[in-house]
Every structure is written in C-alpha cells, then in structure tokens.
Amino acid sequence: MLLPRSVPLARLALLGLAAGLIFYALGRPSLWLDEAASPLNARFPLDYIITLSRTLEEHPPLFYILLKGFLRLGHDDFTVRLLPALCGLGCVGLLAAVGTRLFSPAAGTAAAAIWLAMPQNLLLSRMARPYSLWLLLFLCALYFLAGWLRRGRKRDIAGMLAAAALMTACHYLSFPLLAAMGLCLLAVAPANRPGWPGRLTAAGLFGAGCAGIAAAAYFGLIAQSHTPQLIADANETVADAARALGAALGGVLYSFDVWPARLAVGAAALAAFVVLARRDRRNFRVLALLTVVPPLVLLAMGRGTGLYARHLSSLGIPLALALAGGAAAWPRLAPRLPAVTLSALALAVLLPLAVHHDRFYAVSSYQVPVIGNNYKLAAAGLAALDRPGTILSFGDDFYGNVLSWYLDQHTPSLALANPRLTPEDREARLLFAAGAHWGYLAPNAAAFLTRYGPDVARHDIETSTFLELAVPRDPVRRVTALPARYGLPMAYDRVFAEISALSGLRFHQNALGPALIPVRNDIDATARLTFANDAPPQPQEIRINVLFDNFGQDNRLLARIRFDTEPPVTFPLSTGYDATRQRQIALKREAPYARMDVEVILRCASRTPTLAGGNLQTLRLTGVEAFFCPANAAGPCLDAAERHLTASVLGNYLEERFAVPSETGQAALLAVRENVAPVNEHQEAAWTALSPADPSRPGVLRLPVTARQDRLLLFPRVGRDGMVRVYGLRPDGVRELLFALQNTGERWTPVSARYELVVPPWLRDRETDLEIELTGRRAQLWTLGDAALF
C-alpha cells in the first residue's frame, strides 16, 4: 500500500498531470455555440450582466461576474478559459480531499485520478461555461458534509450553506443537489453523535438555510427570467424525460459515443456500490443519495428538454468516489489501490492525447456535438478578406456577435472590425457572412446571387459562407432646383452607395426590415449625408425626417447639421425606450450655402438585454428623408413633408385612433393622483387628457395592476421637452423603468396614437403597483374614465 508520507507526493504528481492536461493547448479549440456567449456577456457592465440573468439568460450571473475580472487580463481564448481551467484543477485537488475525509488519503488520490480519467470532466475544465466552477462549489459543499459526518460540528453546516448559496448563484441545477445533501444529513449520523437529534437538527438547519437561498434565487432572479416559462412550455412525458436523462447519464460515464466504454464504466460503478453496500454502509448511503436523487428530481419535474451530459456532470463526483471507495473496501483490491490510481492516470493521459485528441485539442473541436459554426476559422477567413472601405454584415445576430468578438482580437486591428466609409472611397466593398442561419437578407447563397449577381464573389470556409459585392459610390446628393425631396434608400446594395460617410455601423435586416445598427455598445456610431446646393440662391425651409427603432433603455439618437464651414448644430432626437420611431428637424435657412451635412449619431447603451453579446439590435437607423422648400412658396412642399411624416407614424402605430370603450378591458384603474389635472380643452368623447398641474414638478399617477396578457395599451402624448414614463416595483423592491416616451422635437406626437407596454415576466399574473410619471408642461396621458392601461 501507499505509505502515508508518500500520499502528498502522489497528490502533487496528480495535480501536475491534471494541470498539463487542462492547460495544454487551452486556447486552441474554437469557442463553440454556447461557450461563446460567456465572454460576450461578461464584457458588459455589472448591472447589465445581472439584468441579463434576470431576463434572457438561463444561468445565474456568478460565473459571468467572475469571468469579467479575468477578461481584464486579455480576450484571447486561453484567457477566456482560464477561470474554468483553474476551477477544474481545483476540482482535482478538492475531490482528493473529500475522498480522504470519507475514506482514506490513498482512496482520495484514487478518486481524483478516476474523476480526471472520465473524459467529460476534462472537457468541462477546458470550456468557458459555468460547469467546472459549479462542480468546484459542489465539492466545497461535500467537503463540509464529509466534515459533519466525521465530527458533527455546526460550522460544517454553515460551510455547506455558504457553498450552497454560491452553487445556486452559479447554476439552477444546484437545487436537486441540495435536496440530495439534505437527505444525506438525515440518512447518516455523525460518527461521534449517532442519535436522531443530531440528524434532525442538522437537516433542519440546512433545510431552513436552503429555503432562504431558494427564495432569494427565485424572487431575485428566476421569477423574472425565461426559465420558468421554458420549463412550463416543455411538453414532455415522463418517458421523454427518462430518455433524455438516460442519454445524459451515458455521457457522464463516457463523453463520446463509445458504448463499450460506457457499459464498462457503468458496470464498474455498479460493482463498487455493491461492495460499499456490504462493507461501508455509511458512505454507501451518502454516495447513493448523491447519485440517485438529482436525476429522480429532474424526472419528477419532467425536465428533459435541452438536457445534456454536462447538466448531470455533478454525478461524476459520487461515481468517482464510489469507484475509489469500493476499490479500497474490497480486500483483494485494497492492497493494489496504487495500481488502480496509476491505471486511472494512464487512461487520463491516453484518452485525450491519443484516442480523442481532436475532440480536446484541435482548432476545429466543438467539444460537444452542437449545430453551429467554427467561429475561429470563420474569423480567420474573414481577416484574410480585410480591406479598407469594407462593410461586414451578418445573417444571424449571435453569429455576428461571436465573429465580431474574434475579429476584435486580431493584431493588427482590422478594418472589418470597425467599418468606415469616407467621401473619398469611390467604392464600397460589401461582405455578407452567413453561418448555419441566413437570416432575412437572403434564404441561401443561390437567392443572394440571383438578387445581386453575377459579380458576387463567394468564399466558403468550413460551414460559413462569405459573399462579396463591390458597389460604386456617389457620396454627394445634389439639389438642383426647389422644391426637392430625397430619401436614403435602405436596400443592401444602395445605402452604402449614397451615404456620404459612415463609422461604426453595419447593415442589419430582421423582421422589422433593413436598417443600420452600431457595431459596439456605448460608443458613438455615425452616418452622414452630404447635400450640395446647386439650386438658385434663395431662402429655404428644410425638413429632415429621421426614422429609427429605439427599444433599449438609455439608447440615444441625435443629429448634427452643418452648413459649409459654420459650427454644427446638434438636435437630440430620441432616448430609449422610445415608441415614436421618427423625428422631424425643422430648419429655416436665409443665407445661401453650398453644402449641408446631416450626421446621425447612434449610441447604443448596455442596459436592456436582448441577446447574449449585446443589445445592438435595439437601436436601428431605418431611414432619412430630406425636403428642401422655397421659403416664399413653402406650403405645398412642407405639406408633403408632413404627409410623409404622418404616413410613417401611421405605419408605426398601425392606426391612429382611440380604442372605443367596448374594445378596452380596463386592466388598471387609477388609485392615486399627485400634481395631476385634466386638460380642459382636450376631450375626445369619453377620453380625457391628464397633465401636471404644476409643470415645474412631475405629475404622478399610481395604479394597481394584475397583468394577464403580454402587452398593455396606453395613450400618452408629448410635445417639445415632454416625457411620460412608467415604472414598476419588482418583487425584490427595485424600481424598474418599463416604458418611456420623450419628445425633443418641435411638434406634438399624434393625439390618439396607441403605445404598447411590454409586460415583463415578473409582472405577469401578480398584483403590483405601477407609477406613471408625467414630466413637463407638454406631457399628457389620455384616460378613459379612471382607466389608464388597457
């Protein structure tokens, strides 16, 4: 047998070997589909990360918060994977410590070697996802559990609860593990306190603590996220869940689809449990509960959709402990435990370095079988196509986010990573990149070639397709006579031909139509139009209509207009969330001029999550219209400008009219009015406009709401500098902005335009108080009797 003094040396050798396997070529495989979301999420501000976890993400925020700190060291794949790699190495050392507490030092070393030889555990240690951190925290909890079973100290229960809280902040599948550990406290008494009182006390303390952790997780994160709805929408039978769990368990035993290996590991584990049941009942009960309870909880929930082996990776820990403990308890194998350890280490080296080398260390490794693209190879292919004056667009938003992440890492920096056009560029070179999903611009390469060919060049890199199109540019629009009208075409092959200059924008087309969107959050992106005034000199009335989508909190849109070399004048246009989608700038020009530049500036804030990687799609420039009218005969020309503005507004709201009483189910009646008075001259049948009684301070309306639909209607109206905002009080007591309408233009918004308030998950089917705040003299809310939301 191993001598006690040789165990630390064996542990050091084990950790050295584990470090080599984990860190070797750590940055070589491409980030795969889910893995790429981690650095994209972690690079954003802390409040964005938390809000993302409360809305779109299925995972709690702890891993992303910790990863954010590691990204300060760099953004290459090695650094992105450094946190999970360190956690994986920590799992090896901590598993040996847990095995020592449960069995013996030699058995602990053997358990760590066996765990390392199970391929999934090495994969998860090299994957930028929360799983290796989650397993490390689970092992921390087991370390304290083993301490309780040995000594019965209450501080071990406190340690278990601390680890449980961190586990829950890392992954929601911690709850079945907490249930299993609670049952362990009931099933097995501490060695020095064999009676039931100690068990019941420990289980009660742990259960109460876990109930508090669960409540905090539910009301702080889960209730507001998509996770409950995903579970509720899963139309599964118990048989479906059982099949999914069986497949996932097979991956735990052996990651790759080699059934003899899975059967061999399963048979060895079963034999180890039989040995423990006969010779070490205490540890048998503990490891059996840790192995059986989590899958049974998932089976009882009918939770199988989207379940993979990594979601059951916690089972690898009791299986490895059982295999080592069974070998140590079997008289024939106990003297040969060093040989068992060495055999496990040989497998740990042989499997990744020889048998499955490309699944661990090749550039093209996805690490798990998923539908996706090799983003690293695709980005390298794009880098080879880099030229100044190239505008890169993507068929799929997430695909675009990941490729942009890789392009940003390139040294020297690429023109593709920060698109830019100047008036001197006589040609725009357009690149359209499509991966597994083509999006809305074209369904496939053949359709793209039919529409834009035959001069389209095609470049294929693995599963990615890049289509290249050269567009001659005419960057100056000429006004030769008055009246004149111009509209920026938003077609893919025309917008870059006619725009004068561009920085930090790319073409984006989704179900809402074509647009230009920022490439990065929190940085100004600009689009400039240049007009040459070749008309006979005379005073002009000019109207600029800017069309946009602004659905993200604190997104900002403004325009800067400059005549010749005069100082530019800035016009704030929109602050999100803004449902108006259009602003008009009115100019009166008396002096002659030769040139007018209209620059639209977009700044997308990291505040409202819509997709892993950013919310760039929430701020979109969808068009610019310019009307040039002679001042002495401006009427018909300006009427045309207004008709275009009105047509766009009607298109945005579908129809401009109040709902009739028979159409409105009164969802919310006003309960409190502070500094609010009706506007006497504003009556429309049964509808009444409310406005601040004292415009120097906000008017406030409060109303209880129980929302049973996805959207609520409201009818605000704002003039220049007016603002209407709707706030809700979340279950955790945080006041959240749900809707904002602000007007920085000259004219009122339409009198009866209906707006939609999107109901967040935490507001559905529960009563809460909403607060409507009216700011400024020109801020109104139209109500039907005492009803404000419908």
Side-chain angles (χ1 to χ4, degrees):
M1 295 182 63
L2 281 174
L3 296 175
R5 69 181 59 182
S6 67
V7 171
L9 183 61
R11 295 270 177 90
L12 289 175
L14 171 63
L15 289 172
L17 182 62
L21 293 172
I22 292 172
F23 287 97
Y24 169 64
L26 182 62
R28 184 177 296 168
S30 173
L31 297 174
W32 63 278
L33 188 66
D34 287 1
E35 191 182 14
S38 297
L40 291 174
N41 292 340
R43 65 179 174 173
F44 289 112
L46 183 62
D47 59 343
Y48 179 94
I49 295 173
I50 295 173
T51 303
L52 186 68
S53 293
R54 283 175 170 160
T55 53
L56 298 179
E57 256 291 339
E58 294 183 49
H59 294 99
L62 178 61
F63 177 75
Y64 301 123
I65 292 172
L66 296 177
L67 181 59
K68 182 177 180 64
F70 278 79
L71 292 184
R72 293 181 179 273
L73 304 176
H75 288 178
D76 58 284
D77 286 354
F78 182 92
T79 307
V80 168
R81 294 190 174 106
L82 184 57
L83 171 61
L86 291 173
C87 290
L89 185 60
C91 285
V92 175
L94 197 50
L95 184 58
V98 173
T100 297
R101 281 194 163 188
L102 290 177
F103 299 106
S104 67
T109 304
I114 293 169
W115 184 85
L116 185 63
M118 299 169 74
Q120 177 175 245
N121 299 319
L122 179 58
L123 286 173
L124 296 180
S125 300
R126 295 170 51 83
M127 184 186 297
R129 296 298 287 159
Y131 301 105
S132 63
L133 174 62
W134 180 48
L135 295 179
L136 181 68
L137 296 171
F138 179 42
L139 279 165
C140 288
L142 293 185
Y143 182 80
F144 288 111
L145 172 62
W148 165 261
L149 296 178
R150 173 178 290 187
R151 296 183 294 267
R153 297 183 303 187
K154 289 185 179 179
R155 63 184 179 185
D156 286 317
I157 301 298
M160 288 179 65
L161 288 172
L166 293 174
M167 286 169 59
T168 306
C170 189
H171 205 292
Y172 293 133
L173 284 177
S174 299
F175 293 121
L177 303 183
L178 301 186
M181 288 188 287
L183 290 175
C184 289
L185 292 174
L186 273 178
V188 181
N192 61 345
R193 297 167 63 185
W196 275 100
R199 299 190 200 186
L200 294 174
T201 301
L205 289 173
F206 185 72
C210 287
I213 292 169
Y218 181 80
F219 292 109
L221 294 170
I222 300 174
Q224 304 163 54
S225 74
H226 286 187
T227 303
Q229 194 62 41
L230 288 173
I231 295 175
D233 291 343
N235 187 18
E236 295 177 296
T237 65
V238 174
D240 294 331
R243 282 190 291 269
L245 285 166
L249 180 58
V252 172
L253 297 175
Y254 198 83
S255 292
F256 311 114
D257 195 9
V258 182
W259 276 100
R262 291 180 176 179
L263 292 174
V265 176
L270 183 60
F273 275 111
V274 171
V275 172
L276 287 175
R278 293 180 175 179
R279 299 181 177 275
D280 189 349
R281 287 186 173 274
R282 284 170 53 83
N283 284 323
F284 167 77
R285 286 195 292 269
V286 171
L287 298 179
L289 288 171
L290 294 174
T291 304
V292 172
V293 170
L296 288 180
V297 171
L298 295 176
L299 185 64
M301 294 174 59
R303 183 73 174 96
T305 298
L307 195 69
Y308 295 97
R310 59 185 179 273
H311 300 122
L312 294 184
S313 55
S314 61
L315 301 186
I317 292 172
L319 289 176
L321 288 168
L323 286 166
W330 193 2
R332 293 187 179 182
L333 271 184
R336 298 178 176 83
L337 199 55
V340 172
T341 304
L342 290 175
S343 299
L345 290 177
L347 283 175
V349 173
L350 179 66
L351 292 175
L353 293 181
V355 180
H356 301 298
H357 180 274
D358 288 350
R359 305 298 294 269
F360 287 88
Y361 303 117
V363 175
S364 59
S365 170
Y366 293 131
Q367 303 198 17
V368 292
V370 295
I371 299 174
N373 297 87
N374 190 309
Y375 304 105
K376 184 177 288 189
L377 291 183
L382 276 174
L385 300 174
D386 185 58
R387 309 271 198 290
T390 301
I391 307 296
L392 177 61
S393 304
F394 299 98
D396 175 75
D397 293 331
F398 184 80
Y399 173 79
N401 282 339
V402 182
L403 258 64
S404 297
W405 168 267
Y406 272 120
L407 293 174
D408 286 342
Q409 316 313 318
H410 196 276
T411 303
S413 59
L414 299 172
L416 286 169
N418 186 20
R420 189 178 301 274
L421 285 176
T422 69
E424 288 71 38
D425 292 320
R426 308 314 305 169
E427 183 179 80
R429 186 166 168 267
L430 309 182
L431 273 176
F432 178 73
H437 306 284
W438 279 73
Y440 289 84
L441 186 61
N444 50 51
F448 189 97
L449 294 170
T450 299
R451 184 173 180 181
Y452 301 109
D455 298 326
V456 174
R458 175 171 176 166
H459 310 274
D460 293 310
I461 299 178
E462 208 211 26
T463 55
S464 293
T465 303
F466 307 135
L467 300 169
E468 180 181 349
L469 174 66
V471 177
R473 281 174 40 75
D474 180 14
V476 178
R477 318 269 51 82
R478 298 194 174 275
V479 180
T480 57
L482 301 181
R485 174 182 179 265
Y486 169 78
L488 177 66
M490 295 307 296
Y492 177 65
D493 57 344
R494 293 190 59 197
V495 61
F496 299 110
E498 298 193 17
I499 205 163
S500 174
L502 173 146
S503 175
L505 293 170
R506 68 168 180 250
F507 185 84
H508 181 256
Q509 184 154 344
N510 61 12
L512 298 176
L516 297 175
I517 68 170
V519 171
R520 291 176 176 82
N521 283 359
D522 304 309
I523 294 177
D524 287 348
T526 62
R528 186 198 311 159
L529 284 169
T530 297
F531 297 91
N533 183 25
D534 296 337
Q538 60 179 305
Q540 296 180 5
E541 292 276 358
I542 303 172
R543 298 293 183 268
I544 308 294
N545 291 348
V546 181
L547 291 75
F548 56 86
D549 295 319
N550 190 357
F551 304 133
Q553 186 177 344
D554 289 347
N555 288 349
R556 296 189 180 276
L557 185 77
L558 57 91
R560 187 175 292 136
I561 297 180
R562 182 189 188 110
F563 290 95
D564 296 329
T565 59
E566 298 173 9
V569 179
T570 300
F571 297 86
L573 298 178
S574 173
T575 300
Y577 174 87
D578 183 352
T580 58
R581 302 188 183 179
Q582 179 164 314
R583 288 287 189 277
Q584 185 176 90
I585 301 171
L587 302 170
K588 187 169 184 178
R589 180 72 183 186
E590 299 285 352
Y593 67 95
R595 167 180 168 141
M596 181 180 74
D597 289 319
V598 178
E599 188 171 58
V600 181
I601 302 170
L602 300 89
R603 188 178 185 89
C604 192
S606 300
R607 293 298 303 275
T608 311
T610 62
L611 181 72
N615 61 319
L616 303 169
Q617 302 81 1
T618 63
L619 185 59
R620 308 168 76 244
L621 178 63
T622 58
V624 178
E625 299 171 335
F627 297 84
F628 299 86
C629 308
N632 58 359
C637 177
L638 294 180
D639 287 344
E642 290 301 313
R643 284 196 300 271
H644 279 276
L645 181 72
T646 303
S648 175
V649 169
L650 293 179
N652 288 334
Y653 304 126
L654 302 181
E655 55 186 0
E656 183 193 346
R657 65 173 180 82
F658 284 119
V660 300
S662 61
E663 295 177 327
T664 60
Q666 294 189 358
L669 301 179
L670 295 172
V672 176
R673 307 184 189 200
E674 298 176 1
N675 189 38
V676 172
V679 183
N680 295 328
E681 66 272 22
H682 282 57
Q683 299 285 331
E684 294 283 344
W687 292 84
T688 303
L690 301 179
S691 189
D694 177 3
S696 65
R697 55 191 180 92
V700 177
L701 306 164
R702 293 189 182 89
L703 60 166
V705 173
T706 302
R708 293 186 170 84
Q709 58 259 41
D710 293 330
R711 297 173 186 272
L712 297 174
L713 294 179
L714 69 160
F715 295 87
R717 189 184 185 220
V718 291
R720 181 173 179 81
D721 296 328
M723 182 183 297
V724 175
R725 287 178 287 194
V726 181
Y727 294 93
L729 193 65
R730 294 203 314 246
D732 59 2
V734 176
R735 188 170 182 249
E736 181 174 317
L737 180 65
L738 303 178
F739 174 88
L741 177 65
Q742 181 179 11
N743 190 348
T744 55
E746 296 289 338
R747 297 181 177 273
W748 284 84
T749 57
V751 68
S752 58
R754 62 176 66 185
Y755 296 77
E756 290 184 340
L757 186 155
V758 179
V759 177
W762 58 263
L763 184 56
R764 285 290 301 271
D765 298 322
R766 63 180 299 273
E767 183 173 338
T768 189
D769 287 335
L770 296 187
E771 184 175 279
I772 303 174
E773 187 177 278
L774 312 177
T775 303
R777 184 183 304 277
R778 297 177 178 85
Q780 299 176 357
L781 181 73
W782 286 78
T783 60
L784 180 62
D786 286 329
L789 296 175
F790 309 93

